[in-house]
């Protein structure tokens, strides 16, 4: 990924960022994240407007009706997407050659988290106490071994590169 970034800017593809390249990359990422967040906000506003106009067109009800869910059906949908966002993780330990920060796309559900690493989504189911872990996986893009873990309650997650002994942490 870093080599592609460097080659796109007609620089040698070393795979390691200089401080000026890291700054350029973070600035580019910040504007992309800002656009994504603005897009998500516009979508949420349109959904709210649609819901308001739908309820206004129904008019006042003359009777109260309570519809109960069918028996033996859970009242919450664990597979319903709650939030989709981008989150930055910052290096907390590792070799100097490890990047200082990375952005990940996340899909947040009630009892699981899905993280996009190297254009692959990794889904982690939370246990009863809200902890999740991906186990070891190899990114097809970097061919490095990773592990992701975290907690739904504190909305924190840790990404570990098990080949380079680097650890990053962030919030979602």
């Amino acid at each position: 990924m870093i080599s592609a970034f460097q080659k796109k800017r007609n620089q040698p593809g070393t795979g390691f960022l200089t401080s000026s390249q890291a700054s350029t990359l973070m600035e580019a990422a910040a504007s992309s994240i800002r656009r994504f967040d603005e897009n998500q906000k516009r979508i949420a506003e349109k959904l709210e407007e649609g819901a308001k106009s739908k309820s206004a067109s129904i008019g006042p009800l003359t009777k109260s009706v309570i519809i109960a869910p069918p028996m033996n059906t859970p009242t919450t949908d664990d597979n319903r997407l709650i939030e989709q966002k981008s989150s930055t993780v910052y290096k907390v330990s590792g070799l100097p050659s490890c990047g200082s920060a990375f952005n990940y796309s996340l899909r947040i559900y009630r009892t699981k988290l899905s993280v996009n690493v190297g254009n692959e989504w990794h889904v982690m189911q939370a246990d009863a106490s809200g902890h999740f872990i991906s186990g070891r996986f190899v990114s097809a893009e970097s061919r490095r071994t990773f592990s992701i873990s975290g907690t739904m309650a504190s909305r924190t997650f840790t990404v570990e590169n098990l080949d380079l002994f680097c650890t990053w942490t962030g919030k979602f």
Side-chain angles (χ1 to χ4, degrees):
M1 180 173 67
I2 293 171
S3 293
F5 170 81
Q6 291 167 327
K7 289 176 184 176
K8 185 176 179 182
R9 286 161 178 73
N10 297 323
Q11 299 169 346
T14 63
F16 301 98
L17 292 173
T18 64
S19 61
S20 64
Q21 290 172 337
S23 296
T24 303
L25 182 60
M26 294 306 283
E27 288 172 13
S31 65
S32 295
I33 292 168
R34 195 170 24 262
R35 280 194 309 273
F36 177 82
D37 288 343
E38 289 169 358
N39 230 4
Q40 293 298 308
K41 186 177 178 182
R42 272 187 289 218
I43 290 169
E45 288 171 354
K46 285 183 181 180
L47 288 173
E48 279 184 37
E49 287 174 13
K52 286 179 184 176
S53 66
K54 198 177 219 181
S55 65
S57 66
I58 293 173
L61 297 175
T62 56
K63 280 187 179 179
S64 294
V65 178
I66 299 173
I67 301 172
M71 294 189 67
N72 299 327
T73 302
T75 56
T76 59
D77 185 4
D78 291 344
N79 293 317
R80 185 178 61 84
L81 181 64
I82 294 173
E83 184 178 0
Q84 183 166 332
K85 66 190 295 186
S86 180
S87 181
T88 303
V89 292
Y90 299 95
K91 185 169 88 170
V92 293
S93 67
L95 300 172
S97 61
C98 299
S100 60
F102 293 99
N103 289 321
Y104 290 100
S105 297
L106 305 169
R107 293 178 180 158
I108 304 160
Y109 302 84
R110 195 174 78 75
T111 61
K112 65 184 176 182
L113 180 71
S114 183
V115 180
N116 190 329
V117 179
N119 295 322
E120 299 172 351
W121 287 95
H122 298 276
V123 179
M124 293 147 294
Q125 191 70 38
D127 63 16
S129 58
H131 299 287
F132 56 85
I133 187 162
S134 68
R136 297 172 150 244
F137 65 89
V138 176
S139 168
E141 186 176 46
S142 69
R143 301 188 194 279
R144 301 277 188 201
T145 306
F146 290 88
S147 176
I148 302 172
S149 60
T151 307
M152 298 299 281
S154 62
R155 293 178 64 106
T156 57
F157 71 110
T158 301
V159 178
E160 293 181 82
N161 182 321
L162 303 173
D163 297 326
L164 296 176
F165 308 106
C166 303
T167 303
W168 299 267
T169 188
K171 291 191 165 281
F172 60 90

